[in-house]
Amino acid sequence: QAGRHRFQCFDNEHECLPSLSVGAGVSRCSNKYDQIWYGIVVSRESPIPYHIWSYCNSFWDLYSGLDESPSLCKNWTCLDDQYQCLTGQCIELEWVCDGEWDCMDASDEEAFVLMEDQLSHSRNVRLPNIAVLLHSCRKRYLNSTFSNKCSASVELGCFLSQVSNPLDIKTNRPCVNLTQLGDGIEDCYNAYDERNSLKVRSSISDMLGYQLPCGNFTMKHPFVCQPKNKNNCTLILCSNHRDTSTLCSGHNDVICLEENRCVTNGRCNRQQDCLHGADEYWCPSDLSTNGMLYRLVERRKLSGMTVNPEEKEVPISYSYACNRGVTIINLNETRCVCPPAYYGRFCEFFSDRITIMVKVDEKTVF
């Protein structure tokens, strides 16, 4: 168990560090891999440094996003009660199939079906009701947008990128393979398939989410389909922008594809009013936020996991921070109480001393 909370500097460097020393700002590996690979992880939203549990948690904590790289997260070990994405990222089980991508490759939502073939070989097989979740995900996305044109078990419905007219769904079949999601390549128009792998700005954690790119800037979901006199971004596929009669020009009005009819206030109303369901395309799962802050619930969940002095239970990663010593958490700072034979900040050094006991016999006469 203790080995899960140790970091090995490199294959040919056998020193194993306590998990809390990774990303702490001072390199203890000769190759500096404990700091260079992870970096000093400090979020702009909080002055509190994140440590080992912030890597591969589906949120970017480094400007480079390297802490969520699938190539580096594929061998990551999740907590026992967490769901592991096909990318290796670890998320809360309650986030699975909640309508919002948490895994970069959507393997907790539309692409959850890809987990079925690997389920018996993954750590997720131990999770409670995993078969029930698989069934619920299949049911949830059975009638999603363009499901009448795509195979939901292997494809995601979306307008295609790199075509002359994405709206011509007869010529350009609006489907991409699930294995293409989150791979960093824009296969869906306006990066619909890369919402968790592309950044909006230079901020650490600002994922694209439900914002739509328009040239050199992006637009929040509630404003993307404003009337032309307010926003004339032709790169965003708003049907009311194509209205010539001015009878379907409201930003929540929809002109159904291949039907040429207007549905007033039909956009993102949780009901498919158009034949192909395009009126519910690119709609946030939580309409109360309108996509203003992507994955708001999850962000709040993670911020609530920050260790504080009032917590009754010490996280297991702290338990092994002090090697042979005892861990004490004081004002978010880890302190170690070492046994007599060990010393150092994390009780990592053995004193290698010999104790000599001397007895003086007072009866001896010289």
Side-chain angles (χ1 to χ4, degrees), residues 144-158:
S144 55
T145 300
F146 301 130
S147 59
N148 58 351
K149 285 185 169 289
C150 308
S151 175
S153 61
V154 293
E155 293 177 315
L156 173 76
C158 71

Side-chain angles (χ1 to χ4, degrees), residues 97 113 132-144:
C97 207
V113 294
V132 176
L133 280 173
L134 178 60
H135 176 73
S136 66
C137 255
R138 285 183 178 276
K139 185 177 180 180
R140 182 183 190 113
Y141 296 109
L142 185 63
N143 296 313
S144 55

Side-chain angles (χ1 to χ4, degrees), residues 41-334:
V41 186
V42 181
S43 171
R44 281 186 179 178
E45 290 77 19
S46 171
I48 302 175
Y50 289 89
H51 292 291
I52 192 71
W53 51 84
S54 290
Y55 307 113
C56 302
N57 69 345
S58 79
F59 279 98
W60 297 319
D61 295 302
L62 295 177
Y63 287 99
S64 64
L66 190 62
D67 55 306
E68 299 301 318
S69 171
S71 62
L72 298 175
C73 291
K74 62 182 180 181
N75 296 319
W76 198 257
T77 300
C78 298
L79 298 179
D80 290 339
D81 59 349
Q82 286 184 318
Y83 174 83
Q84 188 154 32
C85 310
L86 289 176
T87 57
Q89 296 168 302
C90 306
I91 65 172
E92 302 302 302
L93 183 58
E94 65 195 68
W95 298 354
V96 176
C97 207
D98 63 353
E100 192 166 55
W101 290 15
D102 297 297
C103 300
M104 185 182 297
D105 60 353
S107 55
D108 60 320
E109 300 297 331
E110 285 95 332
F112 186 69
V113 294
L114 299 180
M115 184 66 71
E116 188 173 25
D117 295 336
Q118 304 185 29
L119 189 59
S120 60
H121 305 292
S122 71
R123 299 181 70 249
N124 292 327
V125 71
R126 75 198 185 288
L127 296 173
N129 300 322
I130 192 68
V132 176
L133 280 173
L134 178 60
H135 176 73
S136 66
C137 255
R138 285 183 178 276
K139 185 177 180 180
R140 182 183 190 113
Y141 296 109
L142 185 63
N143 296 313
S144 55
T145 300
F146 301 130
S147 59
N148 58 351
K149 285 185 169 289
C150 308
S151 175
S153 61
V154 293
E155 293 177 315
L156 173 76
C158 71
F159 293 114
L160 297 187
S161 182
Q162 309 302 323
V163 296
S164 58
N165 184 8
L167 295 174
D168 183 3
I169 59 178
K170 286 185 178 180
T171 304
N172 306 304
R173 184 171 172 268
C175 312
V176 299
N177 196 286
L178 293 176
T179 59
Q180 296 174 266
L181 307 186
D183 62 359
I185 301 173
E186 182 180 329
D187 298 295
C188 297
Y189 188 80
N190 245 330
Y192 182 75
D193 57 319
E194 301 299 322
R195 69 188 80 166
N196 284 39
S197 64
L198 296 182
K199 290 186 178 183
V200 178
R201 289 175 292 274
S202 59
S203 174
I204 290 181
S205 59
D206 208 351
M207 293 178 176
L208 175 63
Y210 289 99
Q211 300 184 73
L212 282 87
C214 180
N216 295 325
F217 65 96
T218 57
M219 300 192 66
K220 301 287 187 181
H221 182 270
F223 311 116
V224 296
C225 292
Q226 294 286 356
K228 280 191 175 182
N229 60 345
K230 294 183 180 179
N231 164 40
N232 193 22
C233 184
T234 58
L235 296 178
I236 297 178
L237 305 176
C238 294
S239 67
N240 61 334
H241 290 180
R242 304 190 304 273
D243 179 43
T244 56
S245 66
T246 70
L247 299 176
C248 199
S249 57
H251 67 277
N252 284 328
D253 294 344
V254 178
I255 300 177
C256 296
L257 292 173
E258 300 184 340
E259 296 177 85
N260 196 28
R261 66 183 179 91
C262 176
V263 179
T264 305
N265 291 320
R267 180 171 176 261
C268 297
N269 65 355
R270 296 287 193 230
Q271 177 179 320
Q272 287 195 10
D273 298 297
C274 297
L275 173 63
H276 305 297
D279 52 306
E280 297 301 308
Y281 184 66
W282 214 320
C283 298
S285 57
D286 184 2
L287 292 177
S288 63
T289 66
N290 285 320
M292 297 296 286
L293 182 57
Y294 187 51
R295 300 178 65 201
L296 177 62
V297 175
E298 288 83 348
R299 290 172 190 264
R300 288 175 175 171
K301 172 74 175 180
L302 287 187
S303 64
M305 293 172 65
T306 305
V307 179
N308 61 70
E310 298 176 356
E311 285 185 343
K312 295 181 180 180
E313 184 177 352
V314 176
I316 192 169
S317 58
Y318 278 103
S319 303
Y320 296 99
C322 296
N323 296 287
R324 301 295 180 103
V326 177
T327 305
I328 297 177
I329 301 175
N330 180 33
L331 297 177
N332 248 3
E333 183 179 355
T334 304

